[in-house]
């Protein structure tokens, strides 16, 4: 590195929530490295104007291909970023996801792959990043991207929900074991509107109908996740570790309120 910009790694940062997080850090002036198995359809760039009207620099995320489900590949990836840029200040473990499938209808081998992607890959990457961060004078910050699917029943995504529940617990343990040098927190996401939203919610009427179930009356945007990560990575969160920040717009309205015969 020839400058003093913060070095931020965002896994799965080529699209959706991950790309939104990457753009947020780019707008804040960081050097952002994104990774995935395949390159983005187009470069991930900072918006010309940062969030909340702040002017953001013109910048593009650096892409590196890697399959983080391979612990040796994850270690080589983080070591390479550390060697090339001098450090890793922030790791955002965003890579993950799952196709819809009821437990009894999904082969065990596929369930294992879902757990591998959503729990083991973040574990491998965090271990690799910790090797770099632990040698830095100012340490670093690791942020897990969790899901409300890990805090409630997740029909159609059972293995995913179980993995996300484990991820949050893993973050708490890392926060204890790696303190005070490395802070570890989780952003627990609710429903997010991305380019794949139609696959989950249907057309605009479907999105609007889902939004009405959320107290804040809208789905989250990737920029909302970016702002949460920017906070947890900043000095404003210097005493925050082992925490779970729930970013779900107030959660889900309990179904019994609409089913009951009394007026709520």
């Amino acid at each position: 590195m020839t400058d003093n910009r913060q070095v931020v790694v965002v896994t799965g940062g080529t699209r959706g929530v991950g790309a939104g997080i990457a753009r947020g850090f780019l707008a804040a002036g960081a050097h952002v490295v994104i990774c995935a198995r395949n390159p983005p359809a187009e470069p991930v760039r900072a918006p010309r104007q940062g969030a909340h009207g702040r002017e953001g620099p013109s910048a593009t995320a650096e892409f590196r291909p890697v399959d983080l489900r391979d612990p040796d590949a994850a270690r080589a990836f983080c070591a390479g970023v550390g060697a090339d840029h001098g450090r890793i200040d922030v790791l955002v473990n965003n890579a993950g996801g799952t196709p819809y499938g009821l437990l009894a209808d999904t082969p065990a081998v596929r369930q294992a792959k879902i757990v591998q992607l959503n729990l083991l890959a973040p574990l491998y990457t965090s271990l690799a990043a910790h090797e770099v961060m632990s040698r830095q004078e100012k340490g670093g910050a690791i942020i897990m991207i969790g899901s409300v699917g890990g805090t409630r029943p997740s029909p159609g995504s059972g293995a995913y929900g179980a993995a996300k529940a484990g991820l949050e617990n893993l973050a708490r343990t890392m926060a204890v074991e790696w303190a005070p040098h490395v802070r570890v927190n989780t952003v627990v996401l609710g429903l997010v509107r991305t380019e794949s939203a139609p696959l989950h919610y249907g057309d605009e009427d479907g999105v609007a109908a889902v939004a009405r179930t959320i107290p804040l009356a809208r789905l989250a945007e990737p920029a909302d996740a970016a702002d949460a990560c920017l906070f947890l990575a900043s000095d404003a969160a210097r005493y925050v570790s082992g925490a779970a920040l729930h970013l779900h717009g107030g959660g889900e309205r309990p179904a019994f309120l609409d089913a009951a015969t009394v007026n709520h």
Side-chain angles (χ1 to χ4, degrees), residues 193-213:
R193 181 168 185 157
T194 66
E195 61 267 31
S196 63
L199 298 176
H200 301 284
Y201 315 122
D203 58 15
E204 287 300 315
D205 288 341
V207 171
V210 171
R212 287 194 290 271
T213 71

Side-chain angles (χ1 to χ4, degrees), residues 98 114 118 147-154 156-167:
T98 182
I114 292 169
N118 291 282
S147 168
V148 292
T151 62
R152 55 151 171 76
S154 298
S157 57
Y160 171 83
K164 288 298 189 180
L167 188 65

Side-chain angles (χ1 to χ4, degrees), residues 15-229:
R15 58 190 177 90
V17 171
I21 293 171
R23 292 188 188 100
F25 277 102
L26 286 168
H31 180 89
V32 179
V33 180
I34 59 175
C35 65
R37 284 177 289 171
N38 300 304
E42 57 185 34
V44 176
R45 295 188 175 93
R48 290 194 176 275
Q49 188 177 55
H52 311 304
R54 297 189 302 269
E55 289 296 328
S58 176
T60 302
E62 173 191 344
F63 171 74
R64 298 192 181 198
V66 63
D67 185 347
L68 297 173
R69 297 173 299 179
D70 179 344
D72 292 333
R75 190 165 186 252
F77 165 74
C78 288
V81 173
D84 292 343
H85 298 295
R87 63 189 190 276
I88 298 176
D89 297 298
V90 181
L91 166 66
V92 181
N93 276 308
N94 165 78
T98 182
Y100 179 86
L102 298 175
L103 288 170
D105 298 334
T106 305
V109 66
R110 178 170 292 181
Q111 306 283 17
K113 289 181 178 179
I114 292 169
V115 173
Q116 186 180 34
L117 174 62
N118 291 282
L119 178 58
L120 295 182
L123 168 60
Y124 301 151
T125 312
S126 297
L127 289 168
H130 177 259
E131 288 188 34
V132 178
M133 292 177 175
S134 63
R135 299 192 296 266
Q136 300 170 175
E137 181 181 355
K138 294 185 177 181
I142 296 174
I143 301 168
M144 307 294 194
I145 301 300
S147 168
V148 292
T151 62
R152 55 151 171 76
S154 298
S157 57
Y160 171 83
K164 288 298 189 180
L167 188 65
E168 189 175 333
N169 181 273
L170 179 65
R172 291 194 188 102
T173 300
M174 288 177 173
V176 173
E177 292 191 4
W178 294 350
H181 218 52
V182 176
R183 295 186 298 107
V184 187
N185 293 289
T186 304
V187 174
V188 182
L189 289 181
L191 307 181
V192 186
R193 181 168 185 157
T194 66
E195 61 267 31
S196 63
L199 298 176
H200 301 284
Y201 315 122
D203 58 15
E204 287 300 315
D205 288 341
V207 171
V210 171
R212 287 194 290 271
T213 71
I214 299 171
L216 289 189
R218 68 172 178 88
L219 277 65
E221 299 288 343
D224 295 316
D227 284 346
C229 290

